[in-house]
Amino acid sequence: MSDRILTVEGLEVSLPVPSGTLNAVQGVSFHVDRGETVCIVGESGCGKSLTALAIMDLLPRRARRVARTLTLLGDPLIGVPETKMADLRGNRMGMIFQEPMTSLNPAYTIGNQLEEALLRHRKVPRAKARERAVHLLERVGITAAGQRLRQYPHQLSGGLRQRVMIAMALMTGPDLIIADEPTTALDVTIQAQILHLLAELQREFHMGLVLITHDLGVVARIATRVVVMYAGQVVETGTAAEVFGAPRHPYTRGLLDCIPIPGKTKRGEHLGTIPGMVPSLVGQMEGCHFAGRCNYVIDECRAAPIPLVSAPGRGHAVRCIRADELSRQPAAAEEGAA
Amino acid sequence: MAIFALKRLGVALLVALTVSLITFSMNYLSGDPAITIAGEGARIEDIENIRRYYGFDRPILVQYWDWLWNALHGDLGRSYSLRVPVADVIFERLPTTMLLGACAITFGLTLAIPLGVLAAVKPNSFFDRLALTLAVVGQAMPTFWFGLTLILVFGVMLRWLPITGQASWWNFVMPAVALGYNVAPAVMRLTRAGMLEVLASDYIRTARAKGLRPMKVLFKHALRNAVIPVVALAAVQFGFMLGGSIVIETIFQINGLGYLAWESIQRKDLPMMQAIVLILSIIYVVITFLADMLNAFLDPRIRVT
Ligand SMILES: Nc1ncnc2c1ncn2[C@@H]1O[C@H](COP(=O)(O)OP(=O)(O)OP(=O)(O)O)[C@@H](O)[C@H]1O
Ligand code: SF4
Ligand SMILES: [Mg+2]
């Protein structure tokens, strides 16, 4: 077996809401090996952030978290006391958030916050921690790192703050980094830079990286494996080549149709979106979650829960009862339905 | 930081100057001061003599300048009723009031801030309800009434504490509690609200994502940001407390500025009242300045403006 860093099996997250129970994450499974970049994609609200927070055990207090297996390097992340979790958090696994502008404490210097991340988990002198902070700031592309340490977050731009957050997550040399839409709040011009920096660091530090992003173009280039989520479930997963080269779930195809293709999509042309609404996640749902928006829906789709089925002998799995027949004649089906 | 401090100092001086102008104009608040001093039924010549003696016949700006110059040199005039320099009496009584004020604000803040934090950390818990109850009661209860209740319970019925005078530290317990309790409700609610907001913020999530222990998250990352607005409020509340010390010192017969103010009002001792207003205002200006400095220390974003 390869060097397994993260195993997630049957992860469920639910939240009490006024109208009942919101089943935000419903049996999500995936794994990350050392040196892999696993990308989670899917529309807003499909449960990507809650999946990430559940792994870190940083969910809102009233959220309920259940899993068959949830382990980091073989150590369980569920059912362990908070003190034990806190020892792992920021140590063996780090997280980078979507909001760089508000994710740093305005009252402390960059240096203080970077050093703190290492000092919490390692018995090293402060000077050593500072040295590492400077080294990592330089590594993530911040110039005059020594001076930056004395600056406060409000003196830095959003892009710089996100680089600081990345450096902070790297302070202890973690085995796993979870980045939840790390570039959504940033200027378009630096989004790609940051994502490529993350991919580079992942290789250099030989970590596992879970990257949640909307940028399918970047996913296609840096992902080892892709997890496509829809309404709380994994609907398709496989290597980047499998999922992008031969998408099998109607939702994945819809997503891919939304990407502007350089040269093909004319400037200013309206981008495709999948018509229809995401179903409510409150309460139990019968059958395929995508049925309400699927062009290929048949009665059986709504009859029973649809299992996630792997193609024989491969990791490529899909949650659609018509996947086989659809991928045999994709073009015809596409036209017939349109 | 230095520039910020200088700016704030400039503002403080301007406020102090304005206060001095207002205090000075108290001379003319009740019409012609010479007539006031001479009292009812005085002859015209007497009034004229008094006017010349006190210098009320000179141009008003000259009078103000003289008054200010003297005040800056520690000469606040002579008391009409006690026939001694006002400054002597003031500086004899000032330490008592400052001590009472310090005890009261310390009591108020050590009650309000921890309760506010606890209430925010465990919303709807026992502490939250206790805090809410204390706040409602505190807000609804006038200072003098609370002071009298304390006297009744702890002084008369239980006989735990001395009622009046300032013979020992024990004498300061009830007045400090009565005065300090007044500042607690507002401070407590602001601490709770600030803490709730901060605890839900992204940087607290970051702190937890680093694996920091709950106490470190609470005290290093949350509290510091949550108390920033509280500092400014505490300074304002301290001002109210200075006003409240008139009532409390009178009830508990504590020989401070508050009691002196009460005596001076009864004796229509204008220079004394003037000096008390001036001193209390200056103290308030100084406290506000210190609060600004503390806030600038706590919140680096303030320093640049
Ligand atoms: N604190 C919360 N309280 C109530 N509902 C929540 C909370 N956090 C998330 N949800 C709900 O849970 C569902 C999943 O949310 P999640 O944040 O995981 O989505 P996401 O896939 O990360 O979306 P996005 O792309 O917008 O970040 C959504 O329907 C959301 O409204
Ligand atoms: S199971 Fe049916 S409804 Fe669901 S995606 Fe497949 S074809 Fe569409
Ligand atoms: Mg999200």
Side-chain angles (χ1 to χ4, degrees), chain A residues 86-99:
Chain A
D87 285 342
L88 291 173
R89 242 187 255 131
N91 182 10
R92 307 259 49 104
M93 57 180 176
M95 185 155 175
I96 299 159
F97 300 96
Q98 186 176 345
E99 306 85 4

Side-chain angles (χ1 to χ4, degrees), chain A residues 15 22 24 43-50 60 62 98 181 214:
Chain A
L15 285 152
L22 181 91
E43 276 166 303
S44 187
C46 68
K48 304 183 297 292
S49 294
L50 290 180
R62 59 211 157 74
Q98 186 176 345
E181 302 191 34
H214 285 294

Side-chain angles (χ1 to χ4, degrees), chain A residues 249-250 288 290-291 294 296-297 301 306 320-322:
Chain A
H249 197 283
C288 177
F290 191 58
C294 184
Y296 313 102
V297 59
C301 300
I306 315 287
C320 170
I321 48 172
R322 300 189 66 194

